Amino acid sequence: MTEVTAYLYNKCGTCRKAKKWMDENGITYREIPIVDEPPTKEQLRTYWQQSGLDLRKFFNTSGQSYRERGLKDRLKDMSEEEMLDLLASDGKLIKRPLIIGNGKVTVGFKEDEMEQAWK
């Protein structure tokens, strides 16, 4: 198993759960603070394409930045380029944890998805 990269936020309970799960399952990971060092637009584009997910799934819909900007109503009218620009501009807008490795990407923490992707 190669090392994975995990974009995490230390005040995020979901991120703490994901770290605990990776530690318990022997997953080696490089931690990057998502708020201080968010992925670039091009990195996000690659992760999104590798994930096979709708780009909207990359947004942290329960976050304060998302609500303050009224994105719930604005996203449906945005182009993918605009969404990528927005995500790259604010690490708090990105759903976390964002875990990347071996051509796989998981967004958020669901134990069954983690099992499939990283074990």
Side-chain angles (χ1 to χ4, degrees):
M1 178 79 196
T2 59
E3 180 179 85
V4 299
T5 299
Y7 285 93
L8 303 165
Y9 180 53
N10 62 6
K11 293 181 180 149
C12 164
T14 309
C15 293
R16 287 195 294 271
K17 282 185 205 162
K19 279 175 70 165
K20 182 174 187 264
W21 185 89
M22 289 189 290
D23 291 339
E24 288 171 353
N25 287 278
I27 311 294
T28 309
Y29 58 94
R30 182 170 67 100
E31 185 174 337
I32 298 176
I34 198 163
V35 175
D36 301 329
E37 299 173 45
T40 65
K41 180 180 180 181
E42 288 315 310
Q43 285 173 308
L44 285 162
R45 184 189 315 278
T46 301
Y47 302 156
W48 163 53
Q49 289 168 342
Q50 286 176 338
S51 75
L53 296 169
D54 182 320
L55 186 53
R56 290 190 269 302
K57 297 274 188 219
F58 277 75
F59 282 87
N60 174 14
T61 56
S62 57
Q64 195 173 347
S65 288
Y66 183 88
R67 288 195 306 269
E68 283 172 358
R69 296 174 188 223
L71 292 176
K72 184 178 156 203
D73 301 319
R74 292 177 43 214
L75 277 185
K76 63 182 175 293
D77 299 320
M78 282 185 168
S79 70
E80 289 166 350
E81 291 302 310
E82 289 170 316
M83 285 190 236
L84 287 165
D85 282 334
L86 200 53
L87 287 166
S89 75
D90 183 353
K92 287 190 175 175
L93 284 176
I94 302 168
K95 186 170 180 136
R96 52 192 183 253
L98 174 59
I99 304 172
I100 301 104
N102 292 355
K104 292 183 266 191
V105 177
T106 54
V107 182
F109 176 74
K110 289 195 177 103
E111 200 163 325
D112 57 335
E113 288 175 13
M114 295 286 281
E115 293 267 344
Q116 280 185 316
W118 309 118
K119 274 192 130 180

